[in-house]
């Protein structure tokens, strides 16, 4: 679904990504793990087509076998690339339902999720549909942010640290939500520092260090090395 080949990116003269190659297959959840400053945000920006205003890039990005390297962000979105930001981007003054009614439907990607389907998959959103965004818990906001992207018909979700700052119970709920998303056939690339969570929800993991992919790990490897990885990440 997503293929990145020898992607490099610079801020002026400073190189932030060094020949990153990775892939996320259809229906997979893959995490990208790395310490602060490793280049995770830069990689996400490159995938969304947003790095151009910061500096140059080389290498290629393909979505569903189509080279999207030169495409503007809105054209990538139309091809089914969805982004769930770390602050969740919920409109605080709008109700849950209004938040869900806002996104444009993209053509030629996944079947866009109807409101009915969203409410069936995420019952708490139905219960709270008249509530303003501010009245939702962190987990419910995350649910709304994901549901809103699914409404566009996105087939690949880029999720930036969905568990950051949330309690263990809510983290567990987010795991369940991501499993629902995966069961619906949506592919996910997740930035995640919580490697314990990553090993319960994802299929595979990439470790990014100083702008390079230094390791590709499966869940058993992450579980065996959980303490070492947490120490390395400074958590
Ligand atoms: P964090 O978890 O702290 O957000 P990260 O893994 O997302 O870290 P990036 O933000 O992608 O890392 O940063 C990668 C490198 O690029 C770092 O050395 C950082 O200092 C540099 N960098 C990031 N943004 C800019 C910018 N706007 N201008 C110059 N250098 C930048």
């Amino acid at each position: 679904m997503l293929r990145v080949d020898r992607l490099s990116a610079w801020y002026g003269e400073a190189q932030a990504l060094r020949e990153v190659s990775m892939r996320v297959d259809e229906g997979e959840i893959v995490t990208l793990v790395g310490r602060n400053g490793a280049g995770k945000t830069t990689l996400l920006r490159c995938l969304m087509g947003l790095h151009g205003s910061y500096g140059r890039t080389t290498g290629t990005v393909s979505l569903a076998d189509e080279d999207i390297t030169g495409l503007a962000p809105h054209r990538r979105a139309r091809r089914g690339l969805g982004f769930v930001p770390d602050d969740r981007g919920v409109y605080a003054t709008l109700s849950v339902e209004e938040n869900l009614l806002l996104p444009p439907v993209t053509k030629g990607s996944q079947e866009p999720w109807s409101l009915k389907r969203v409410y069936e998959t995420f019952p708490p959103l139905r219960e709270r549909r008249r509530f303003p965004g501010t009245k939702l818990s962190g987990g419910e906001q995350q649910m709304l942010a994901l549901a809103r992207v699914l409404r566009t018909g996105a087939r690949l979700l880029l999720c930036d640290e969905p568990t950051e700052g949330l309690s263990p119970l809510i983290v567990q709920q987010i795991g369940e939500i991501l499993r629902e998303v995966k069961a619906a056939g949506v592919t996910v690339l997740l930035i995640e520092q919580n490697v314990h969570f990553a090993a319960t929800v994802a299929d595979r993991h990439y470790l990014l260090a100083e702008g390079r992919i230094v390791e590709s790990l499966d869940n058993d490897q992450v579980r065996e090395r959980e303490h070492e990885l947490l120490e390395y990440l400074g958590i």
Side-chain angles (χ1 to χ4, degrees), residues 114-131:
S114 63
L115 270 185
K116 184 166 174 277
R117 185 171 179 198
V118 166
Y119 289 149
E120 277 167 8
T121 311
F122 308 117
L125 294 183
R126 186 207 306 270
E127 281 164 35
R128 306 219 183 313
R129 66 186 183 280
R130 310 253 174 264
F131 281 41

Side-chain angles (χ1 to χ4, degrees), residues 100-122:
L100 288 169
L101 288 171
L102 268 182
V105 170
T106 58
K107 287 200 181 108
S109 46
Q110 278 260 125
E111 180 71 20
W113 285 36
S114 63
L115 270 185
K116 184 166 174 277
R117 185 171 179 198
V118 166
Y119 289 149
E120 277 167 8
T121 311
F122 308 117

Side-chain angles (χ1 to χ4, degrees), residues 11 16 35-42 45 54 161:
Y11 293 95
R35 309 152 93 123
N36 290 346
K40 303 180 299 293
T41 305
T42 307
R45 280 204 198 110
Y54 296 92
E161 301 217 38

Side-chain angles (χ1 to χ4, degrees), residues 20-224:
V20 168
S21 293
M22 58 178 288
R23 57 167 229 285
V24 185
D25 294 335
E26 189 167 354
E28 271 191 317
I29 299 183
V30 171
T31 64
L32 184 68
V33 179
R35 309 152 93 123
N36 290 346
K40 303 180 299 293
T41 305
T42 307
L43 179 56
L44 274 197
R45 280 204 198 110
C46 289
L47 297 181
M48 289 185 292
L50 293 170
H51 187 78
S53 49
Y54 296 92
R56 68 189 180 94
T57 62
T58 58
T60 57
V61 179
S62 312
L63 180 67
D65 293 327
E66 186 190 359
D67 186 343
I68 59 165
T69 314
L71 288 189
H74 68 282
R75 294 195 190 280
R76 296 182 192 217
R78 269 193 218 139
R79 281 167 176 74
L81 187 66
F83 176 53
V84 186
D86 54 355
D87 69 359
R88 297 167 200 128
V90 168
Y91 295 104
T93 53
L94 300 184
S95 70
V96 165
E97 189 147 302
E98 285 164 344
N99 266 277
L100 288 169
L101 288 171
L102 268 182
V105 170
T106 58
K107 287 200 181 108
S109 46
Q110 278 260 125
E111 180 71 20
W113 285 36
S114 63
L115 270 185
K116 184 166 174 277
R117 185 171 179 198
V118 166
Y119 289 149
E120 277 167 8
T121 311
F122 308 117
L125 294 183
R126 186 207 306 270
E127 281 164 35
R128 306 219 183 313
R129 66 186 183 280
R130 310 253 174 264
F131 281 41
T134 43
K135 289 274 157 68
L136 301 182
S137 69
E140 287 162 353
Q141 282 188 19
Q142 190 62 51
M143 216 181 263
L144 178 55
L146 278 161
R148 208 172 48 181
V149 179
L150 294 168
R151 292 265 300 144
T152 68
R155 53 186 165 170
L156 171 67
L157 299 189
L158 307 176
C159 296
D160 196 357
E161 301 217 38
T163 63
E164 196 183 12
L166 299 177
S167 70
L169 186 65
I170 311 250
V171 169
Q172 207 181 325
Q173 279 177 11
I174 290 174
E176 282 156 26
I177 296 168
L178 287 170
R179 276 183 217 104
E180 301 251 13
V181 167
K182 178 185 159 109
V186 179
T187 308
V188 181
L189 175 63
L190 199 66
I191 289 199
E192 193 51 70
Q193 300 292 66
N194 182 341
V195 290
H196 178 76
F197 169 76
T200 63
V201 78
D203 299 292
R204 295 186 294 114
H205 316 265
Y206 288 107
L207 183 61
L208 189 69
E210 294 172 13
R212 285 194 177 85
I213 299 281
V214 289
E215 286 195 75
S216 171
L217 302 161
D218 64 24
N219 284 333
D220 288 341
Q221 290 168 314
V222 168
R223 285 195 196 100
E224 278 160 25

